[in-house]
Amino acid sequence: GNGTKTGFPHYLGELTERIDAVIAAEEALSVRDLKVDGADVMRVLKVPPGPEVGKVLERLLEEVLEEPSLNERGKLLARMREAFSIDTRGSGA
């Protein structure tokens, strides 16, 4: 050949893939992106700091990932009250 490259340069393809990955990562929420936090969990459910708080936030995150419109403070607080009443007296098992 004459050294002239034709077609889509490979580095632009790699860049496009990296951009797509960044966009996808931005869409994947984390617990920090929830409109409530651990302090809300402890206050609403009357639980002390501990693993239960993280478990509630993880469950809420799963629900928000399935239905992004749930990520509103009022909706999440109501969801906590409805679905996550934690027995703070222990398992009794």
Side-chain angles (χ1 to χ4, degrees), residues 16-36:
T16 301
E17 288 174 18
R18 287 181 26 211
I19 291 170
D20 289 343
V22 168
I23 290 170
E26 287 293 322
E27 291 172 3
L29 295 173
S30 72
V31 167
R32 288 186 297 264
D33 296 313
L34 291 173
K35 300 297 183 190
V36 294

